[in-house]
């Protein structure tokens, strides 16, 4: 006869012992439940730690924005070059001879002879290009901290861009410009803070 309890009687001693076995499935469920609780606790601690780190980083960035950024703007305003120091022909010659190219660029002239030839070619090309139809200069003052300058050369239909910041004029890039694009840019510039000056 099956029963959920088994009773074992010890004769001679006068004692009776009753044992009730535990269910194996219940033990496994208990163990799995403990593991899941540990995982949940671990993930919760990771989330809290990540939130604290993120908060610290955001606070540090906020402090940088509050203190460092205004100082950088003031420094840029103090060291912003004036338009009197911008020589369009000189800057065009520097671009033509590859002065702005990095040292590892394949078109960068190397050696005294190559550099001299590049200077001569750049001078001739600049004088011819600007002598045929002149050039147009547009200036954009960026809150007094920097100056964006564009030089349009109609004879080659190219526009070159420089950024004047921290006492230097830095060449940014050059792009091909059609007369239609130039006319539209001039129309927009007439109603903005940009100024166009045609020179020969």
């Amino acid at each position: 006869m099956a029963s959920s309890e088994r009773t074992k009687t010890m004769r001679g001693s006068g004692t009776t012992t009753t044992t009730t076995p535990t269910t194996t499935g219940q033990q496994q469920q208990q163990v799995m439940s403990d593991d899941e609780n540990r995982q949940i606790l671990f993930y919760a601690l990771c989330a809290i730690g990540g939130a604290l780190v993120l908060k610290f980083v955001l606070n540090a960035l906020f402090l940088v924005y509050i203190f460092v950024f205004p100082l950088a703007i003031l420094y840029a305003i103090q060291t912003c070059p004036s338009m009197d120091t911008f020589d369009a022909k000189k800057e065009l010659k520097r671009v033509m001879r590859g002065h702005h190219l990095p040292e590892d660029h394949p078109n960068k002239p190397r050696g005294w002879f190559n550099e001299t030839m590049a200077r001569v070619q750049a001078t001739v090309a600049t004088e011819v290009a600007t002598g045929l139809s002149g050039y147009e200069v547009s200036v954009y003052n960026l809150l007094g901290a920097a100056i964006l300058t564009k030089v349009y050369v109609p004879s080659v239909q190219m526009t070159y861009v420089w950024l004047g910041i921290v006492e230097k004029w830095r060449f940014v890039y050059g792009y091909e410009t059609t007369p239609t694009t130039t006319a539209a840019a001039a129309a927009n510039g007439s109603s903005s803070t940009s100024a166009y000056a045609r020179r020969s």
Side-chain angles (χ1 to χ4, degrees), residues 77-129:
I77 293 174
Q78 293 295 327
T79 58
C80 181
S82 63
M83 276 305 302
D84 296 336
T85 62
F86 182 79
D87 189 335
K89 284 189 175 182
K90 178 181 177 181
E91 296 297 335
L92 284 172
K93 292 177 183 178
R94 290 164 64 92
V95 172
M96 294 293 182
R97 72 171 189 262
H99 182 269
H100 64 287
L101 298 175
E103 293 297 331
D104 57 348
H105 197 279
N107 295 331
K108 181 80 172 180
R110 295 177 178 83
W112 178 84
F113 179 77
N114 291 333
E115 290 179 356
T116 302
M117 291 300 298
R119 287 177 183 272
V120 173
Q121 293 175 359
T123 300
V124 173
T126 301
E127 293 297 335
V128 172

Side-chain angles (χ1 to χ4, degrees), residues 21-82:
T22 58
T23 306
T24 305
Q26 293 179 353
Q27 291 179 349
Q28 293 179 350
Q29 291 179 359
Q30 184 67 26
V31 172
M32 292 178 60
S33 178
D34 292 341
D35 292 339
E36 292 177 354
N37 290 335
R38 292 191 186 94
Q39 290 182 356
I40 293 173
L41 181 60
F42 174 76
Y43 292 145
L45 292 176
C46 289
I48 294 173
L52 292 176
V53 171
L54 180 61
K55 182 179 179 181
F56 176 78
V57 172
L58 293 177
N59 289 337
L61 292 177
F62 180 75
L63 291 176
V64 170
Y65 177 78
I66 292 295
F67 295 103
V68 178
F69 184 72
L71 293 177
I73 293 296
L74 290 177
Y75 178 77
I77 293 174
Q78 293 295 327
T79 58
C80 181
S82 63

Side-chain angles (χ1 to χ4, degrees), residues 76 79-81 145-147 163-170:
T79 58
C80 181
I147 299 177
L163 182 66
I165 188 171
V166 191
E167 300 180 348
K168 289 184 179 180
W169 292 98
R170 294 170 170 81

